[in-house]
């Protein structure tokens, strides 16, 4: 079916024949993962993530999936299932739940995942209305026609699960984000047996994490960062500052263990690092009975070689602690001889920010230990050999690669083909595509809305495309404001005022603006006298824009304001 | 000497005792390479590069080194020496020469380098005044007290050289950008013998390219991309589109050779690809007597498997040909089955743009072949083992790592130390530092201006910091204009008009702006009546800013315009 036809088709109950797979986010992109699975009058939702803005999203704070389809069908939603506690899987939950006009569906997840969700909801005062239901790996729940079983997987946050979903047409496996870590820090292996058991029973559809499909081989175990951390912390002579993702609880656990072994006290600095780590300690996910924690304000009371600071900023984020330390804008001051360990790699797009921070820290005389080839970081996602293993364990009829940009999904599809999954049974889907599976066949039958919803500010609302376009022009060339007073006999009263911001000619360059005002007056009066009906605002824009362009070869935004004298 | 003291010191002739090394760009950064070398009344300038803007440089087109020090001392400049034809080494030449008020110094470089410079100068009509003097490798020229010898080096553009500079105090080696390619495409090896000969005679100071110091081992030979290109082009069934850096003449040569071997005609598409390649063919740097070149407009007249298109866009640059093809905004249309080869890797910061382009091309059904692990690209810069070799060949007394961010310079310094260069003889310098070498010692004795000069528009001028700050706010939160008419008795005449652009509340949301106008009128009149002397513009800003913030938690730029009625 051609794409335009798909778009114009809307769901009517006649269309509902089979099992429908409806990704709303995370396909063709990294982030804001969300998927609906529907069979007739039962819908389950897997993950409600958010995405992070790129350069072209001027002033946007975060990005949400479009949930119009689900809100329209809210009475059919039997439950929301969260695979793990990363923001790109749970970060959209507040905004989603707030849109419901009827009873909220229950939310299912493991203990840590729901612990993190609880913090979010209580902050937004939504907590009391929502039923959060903790599940264990291998537990099964019934949601409408669906039986959902939670399968333990390893990932860069504790308590992650994949899903086995029994449907009237067969079993679905949704891996969530995963890797096969042979030696996980908490000893909890990915549940090989259960994935294999479903493979043996028969899997109708596998949906599998594509993030690392371009990496050959196997992703190293989380434990493999230990030697590099031991070496770096063990040989440090002054203070140690370590940065990693706050949610990587097993990494933080290892940093605490190693620091404690070398008689260092731990200071957790940075809001998310404090919040997540304390939560993980409270809930028993981080074990640290021998560790000594101190407050940031007490750091000064100890010798430099007795301190490890664990903090945020591994991505060079402008407001993070490490970035502010590097800029000299934080209470913690780096001195020559301090050791700074960046136990992470830059997410694509963040390289420049990360290396800026590293350069600044080097300039302060610190020893900065960074980069993947120092074995200070491992990924939480399966590499290509592990992805092959997941396909071979589950032996699915249909395959839908998820969680990746187009190139990842396509490579993952090719990989499945190399394992003898039939080409016609592999679907490279876009967000919003509705894949319908019947006993006979599977095909994409229609589209639901799945555009990016751009959020600016604290709950104010959406950023429309024309606002982004204006901001883009403003950021490049600035703005000129033209204020014109027009008399009742269509003369321009005194000289119009031109004022600018962000324009290359400074607003104190009086000659440019004075001449511009005269030029505008002359041209505008001439036009007013020649023609009876004109769009005055548009005319002002044209005149001022031409004037600015002739002087600077730039086209700033022009804003006209006309006052009509009566 | 403390930094503040250095900054406050200016050059007087009393200070000029020894040999001075004055980097003006390329230290603590990648790009805009430029250096002055001075001995008493003789100055030579090595390279005049430009830099490319980052995200924080809103609307900036390119970045230049500050050349105030050189313009002030222009009568002492004996020559400008260019090591090779990359933009970060020659791109600032127009703007620099234009600043001279007295006779222009001669410009020295190899044939290809000056060929590329000539194009730039003739475009800007500067050509007739400048003496461009072509030099050969191993040629020696006398510039004041300096004897400069040009030493062949391999790099990702043909005709690159390093410099051996004899001075009254000893020999300086400046490597330019280089690698030791054991099998260069044109057969011209880096001049091991000459570097070694200077090492044997004695080198006072080595200044060496630090770009790839973090890479272990040796950088592969340019020839090593051939097998991957042969495989990709040889197995392609439809059209082939290859993108690489236009200046990488040897890469383009290989693409032409391999395409010709597989009976494909060549279309050069994209302004810089056409310009540089044609120049290189004209000058004999690209040899292609068997190749058949066709125009872009003739592509349609041939079968798909008879065509190779060589084009720009390897960095995902928004206006480049490949990016426009990917977006469907170019005459060349990609069809399923076409092969697209990206013979380059993203420069840090460009990853997202490059992967966006790749994803879009995949979505169009093309086979996209990319990434370093496919051996489709090699770097033009020496890796750590080669950098060690350069130090061991030249055995310098003093060492200054150049061409790199702080982290690169520091790592390169550590590497030199590991080869028994004394720690106190290694100088990690900033742009603007003046390193003075006397027979007794070397030390940084003062600073000259070396800030970034940000250029916006076609020759209009500089972008000041406050313009950038305004653009940053504009790009995030937009702008509100408040136009207020005040009567002679300090009343506000009618309601003030508020107009916005790029602000989260759309300009057609009349209620917000109407209420805002009333609010502004009330608050402003109250203030005007209470106080006799106030800054009306500032007051308007405060009132409108508070009004916007209370509604949106955002602080757009506010521009007040007041009309006083008489």
């Amino acid at each position: 079916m051609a794409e335009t036809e798909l778009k114009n088709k809307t769901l009517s109950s006649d269309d509902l024949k089979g099992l429908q797979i409806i990704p709303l986010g995370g396909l063709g992109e990294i982030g804001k993962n969300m998927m609906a699975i529907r069979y007739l009058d039962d819908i389950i939702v897997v993950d409600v993530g958010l995405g992070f803005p790129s350069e072209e999203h001027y002033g946007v704070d975060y990005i949400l999936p479009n949930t119009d389809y689900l809100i329209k069908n809210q009475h059919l939603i039997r439950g929301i299932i969260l695979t793990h506690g990363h923001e790109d899987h749970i970060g959209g939950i507040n905004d989603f739940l707030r849109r419901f006009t009827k009873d909220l569906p229950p939310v299912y997840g493991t203990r840590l995942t729901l612990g993190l969700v609880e913090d979010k909801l209580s902050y937004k005062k939504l907590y009391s209305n929502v039923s959060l239901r903790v599940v264990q790996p291998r537990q099964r729940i019934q949601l409408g026609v669906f039986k959902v079983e939670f399968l333990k997987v390893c990932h860069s946050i504790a308590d992650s699960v994949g899903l086995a979903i029994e449907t009237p047409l067969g079993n679905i496996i949704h891996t969530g984000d995963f890797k096969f870590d042979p030696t996980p820090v908490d000893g909890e292996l990915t549940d090989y047996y259960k994935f294999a058991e479903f493979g043996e029973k028969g899997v109708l559809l596998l949906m599998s994490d594509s993030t690392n499909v371009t990496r050959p081989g196997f992703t190293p175990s989380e434990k493999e960062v230990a030697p590099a951390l031991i070496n770096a912390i063990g040989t440090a002579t002054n203070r140690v500052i370590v940065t990693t993702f706050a949610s990587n609880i097993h990494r933080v656990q290892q940093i605490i263990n190693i620091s404690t072994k070398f008689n260092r006290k731990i200071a957790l600095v940075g809001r998310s690092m404090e919040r997540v780590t304390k939560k993980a300690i409270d809930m028993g996910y981080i074990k640290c009975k021998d560790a000594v924690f101190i407050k940031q304000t007490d750091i000064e009371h100890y010798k430099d070689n007795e301190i490890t600071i664990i903090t945020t900023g591994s991505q060079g984020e402008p407001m993070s602690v490490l970035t502010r330390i590097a800029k000299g804008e934080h209470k913690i001051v780096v001195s020559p001889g301090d050791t700074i360990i960046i136990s992470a790699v830059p997410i694509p797009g963040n390289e420049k920010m990360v290396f800026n921070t590293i350069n600044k820290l080097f300039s302060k005389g610190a020893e900065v230990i960074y980069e993947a080839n120092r074995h200070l970081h491992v990924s939480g996602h399966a590499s290509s050999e592990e992805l092959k293993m997941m396909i071979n364990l589950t032996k699915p009829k249909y395959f839908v690669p998820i969680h990746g940009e187009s190139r990842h999904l396509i490579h993952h599809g090719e990989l499945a083909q190399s394992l003898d999954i039939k080409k016609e049974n592999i679907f490279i889907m876009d967000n919003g595509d509705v894949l319908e599976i019947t006993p006979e066949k599977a095909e994409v039958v229609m589209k639901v809305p799945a555009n990016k919803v751009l959020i600016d500010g604290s709950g104010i609302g959406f950023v429309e495309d024309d606002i982004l376009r204006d901001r883009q022009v403003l950021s490049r060339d600035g703005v000129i404001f033209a204020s014109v007073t027009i008399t009742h006999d269509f003369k321009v009263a005194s000289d119009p005022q031109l004022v600018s911001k962000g324009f290359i000619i400074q607003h104190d360059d009086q000659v440019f603006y004075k001449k511009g005002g005269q030029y505008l007056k002359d041209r505008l009066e001439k036009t007013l006298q020649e023609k009876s009906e004109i769009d005055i605002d548009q005319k002002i824009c044209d005149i001022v824009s031409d004037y600015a362009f002739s002087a600077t070869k730039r086209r700033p935004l022009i804003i006209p304001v006309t006052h009509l004298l009566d």
Side-chain angles (χ1 to χ4, degrees), chain A:
Chain A
M1 204 179 286
E3 184 153 330
T4 45
E5 285 179 70
L6 288 182
K7 273 186 184 154
N8 293 329
K9 224 175 152 195
T10 53
L11 283 175
S12 79
S13 53
D14 291 348
D15 297 321
L16 299 173
K17 286 177 296 198
L19 179 67
Q20 295 186 329
I21 307 298
I22 312 171
L24 295 171
L27 274 75
E29 64 183 348
I30 299 282
K32 74 170 172 65
N33 300 288
M34 186 171 198
M35 173 172 283
I37 299 175
R38 177 172 186 169
Y39 186 81
L40 302 178
D41 283 343
D42 292 305
I43 294 175
I44 53 176
V45 178
V46 180
D47 288 334
V48 193
L50 57 71
F52 295 99
S54 335
E55 287 167 51
E56 74 268 24
H57 299 124
Y58 296 91
V60 170
D61 293 320
Y62 57 97
I63 300 174
L64 293 175
N66 182 324
T67 50
D68 289 353
Y69 168 74
L70 288 174
I71 293 302
K72 211 175 84 186
N73 293 288
Q74 57 183 283
H75 55 293
L76 306 180
I77 299 177
R78 306 301 161 214
I80 298 169
I81 299 162
L82 303 174
T83 60
H84 62 280
H86 278 151
E87 285 297 303
D88 56 337
H89 292 259
I90 66 168
I93 189 98
N94 276 321
D95 295 81
F96 182 46
L97 292 179
R98 216 197 309 268
R99 295 193 68 197
F100 279 74
T101 49
K102 306 206 173 68
D103 284 348
L104 295 178
V107 178
Y108 297 86
T110 53
R111 210 161 61 90
L112 179 66
T113 305
L114 292 190
L116 294 168
V117 167
E118 202 177 338
D119 284 356
K120 278 180 187 298
L121 297 178
S122 63
Y123 178 68
K124 294 287 185 185
K125 302 188 180 103
L126 263 168
Y127 181 43
S128 53
N129 307 321
V130 190
S131 167
L132 298 182
R133 303 188 186 171
V134 172
V135 293
Q136 306 283 344
R138 295 206 178 181
Q139 187 177 332
R140 290 174 80 195
I141 57 173
Q142 184 93 33
L143 298 173
V145 294
F146 300 107
K147 277 198 193 73
V148 180
E149 182 163 357
F150 296 85
L151 310 184
K152 168 71 200 167
V153 293
C154 294
H155 185 44
S156 47
I157 184 169
D159 242 14
S160 297
V161 290
L163 306 171
I165 305 165
E166 294 176 40
T167 81
L169 294 189
N171 299 322
I172 299 173
I173 299 288
H174 183 300
T175 65
D177 285 347
F178 82 102
K179 70 190 224 185
F180 288 106
D181 187 330
T183 55
V185 170
D186 61 3
E188 299 284 337
L189 292 164
T190 294
D191 197 342
Y192 298 84
Y193 170 72
K194 271 287 168 187
F195 284 106
E197 189 192 36
F198 275 97
E200 192 70 14
K201 288 193 286 192
V203 169
L204 178 70
L205 167 66
L206 169 66
M207 298 191 277
S208 183
D209 176 12
S210 310
T211 311
N212 271 357
V213 66
T214 60
R215 298 202 192 170
F218 285 78
T219 303
S221 169
E222 175 61 31
K223 266 197 185 155
E224 294 196 23
V225 301
L229 287 174
I230 290 170
N231 186 42
I233 297 174
T235 60
T237 51
N238 292 21
R239 277 189 200 166
V240 170
I241 301 177
V242 195
T243 180
T244 188
F245 298 100
S247 62
N248 197 333
I249 285 162
H250 294 142
R251 186 73 47 82
V252 174
Q253 172 81 71
Q254 295 193 80
I255 297 163
I256 292 172
N257 291 352
I258 294 165
S259 296
T260 303
K261 191 177 147 198
F262 288 107
N263 299 313
R264 286 176 183 267
K265 281 139 194 85
I266 316 286
L268 301 169
V269 180
R271 209 165 39 173
S272 66
M273 184 58 76
E274 282 184 80
R275 186 175 60 79
V276 177
T277 305
K278 282 182 181 161
K279 188 96 194 172
I281 292 171
D282 288 349
M283 297 182 81
Y285 287 94
I286 290 181
K287 291 169 186 66
C288 51
K289 64 178 171 46
D290 298 330
V292 181
F293 289 90
I294 61 168
K295 285 184 195 161
Q296 186 192 322
T297 44
D298 290 336
I299 293 174
E300 300 300 328
H301 303 149
Y302 297 88
K303 288 194 211 133
D304 283 350
N305 66 3
E306 294 176 353
I307 296 290
T308 290
I309 296 165
I310 307 179
T311 189
T312 54
S314 68
Q315 298 303 308
E317 308 92 320
M319 299 310 295
S320 66
V321 173
L322 191 67
T323 308
R324 281 153 58 210
I325 290 176
K327 285 186 182 167
E329 295 172 359
H330 194 276
K331 277 184 192 158
I332 296 174
V333 174
V334 166
S335 311
D338 287 350
T339 297
I340 294 163
I341 301 168
I342 298 179
S343 183
V345 291
I347 293 169
N350 292 349
E351 291 82 355
K352 261 197 170 168
M353 294 195 298
V354 173
F355 289 129
N356 266 342
T357 299
I358 291 171
N359 285 323
K360 290 203 178 88
L361 293 167
F362 265 124
S363 302
K364 289 179 185 296
E367 170 80 358
V368 190
I369 305 177
Y370 65 103
E371 280 193 5
N373 59 14
R374 311 284 285 267
H375 305 293
L376 282 162
H377 180 70
V378 297
S379 169
H381 298 273
S383 298
S384 61
E385 293 305 317
E386 292 162 276
L387 295 174
K388 288 181 192 167
M389 190 188 291
M390 181 57 84
I391 294 169
N392 284 335
L393 281 172
T394 54
K395 295 178 284 182
K397 179 173 180 189
Y398 297 113
F399 179 60
V400 173
I402 57 172
H403 304 176
E405 301 168 11
S406 301
R407 63 194 177 100
H408 299 123
L409 305 182
I410 288 167
H411 289 313
H412 204 177
E414 288 163 356
L415 185 144
Q417 235 182 295
S418 77
L419 302 176
D420 294 332
I421 305 291
K422 284 184 193 154
K423 190 175 176 183
E424 62 270 25
N425 287 354
I426 297 168
F427 295 88
I428 307 301
M429 294 173 68
D430 278 335
N431 293 331
D433 283 351
V434 178
L435 176 71
E436 188 165 76
I437 304 176
T438 61
E440 297 77 37
K441 62 176 180 178
E443 63 176 328
V444 173
V445 293
M446 66 191 112
K447 260 188 167 318
V448 301
N451 55 304
K452 289 185 166 79
V453 178
L454 309 178
I455 304 294
D456 176 328
S458 33
I460 293 309
F462 314 130
V463 183
E464 308 283 351
D465 279 354
D466 52 352
I467 287 190
L468 285 190
R469 273 194 301 273
D470 284 348
R471 286 180 182 172
Q472 188 183 35
V473 176
L474 289 169
S475 76
R476 285 190 195 154
D477 295 338
V479 60
I480 297 179
F481 178 59
S483 172
V484 183
T485 306
I486 296 175
T487 62
H488 61 280
D489 57 344
F490 289 100
K491 296 254 169 179
V492 177
S494 70
D495 278 356
Q497 288 199 52
L498 301 186
V499 186
S500 78
K501 280 282 180 185
F503 182 52
I504 185 165
I505 292 182
Q506 293 272 23
H507 47 268
D508 53 7
D509 185 343
Q510 294 304 331
V511 178
F512 175 83
Y513 293 103
K514 208 170 155 51
K515 273 195 186 169
Q518 285 163 1
Y519 178 80
L520 172 57
K521 182 181 177 175
D522 295 346
R523 289 277 305 272
L524 189 61
E525 278 188 345
K526 198 152 172 269
T527 314
L528 287 168
Q529 282 154 21
E530 279 168 5
K531 292 179 194 168
S532 54
E533 239 173 79
I534 60 160
D535 180 340
I536 294 182
D537 281 353
Q538 187 56 50
K539 194 69 206 171
I540 293 173
C541 286
D542 293 347
I543 295 170
V544 177
S545 186
D546 288 349
Y547 177 73
F549 185 79
S550 71
T552 65
K553 303 279 173 282
R554 294 274 145 181
R555 292 217 182 266
L557 265 189
I558 311 293
I559 308 187
V561 175
T562 48
H563 308 258
L564 295 172
L565 279 191
D566 39 28

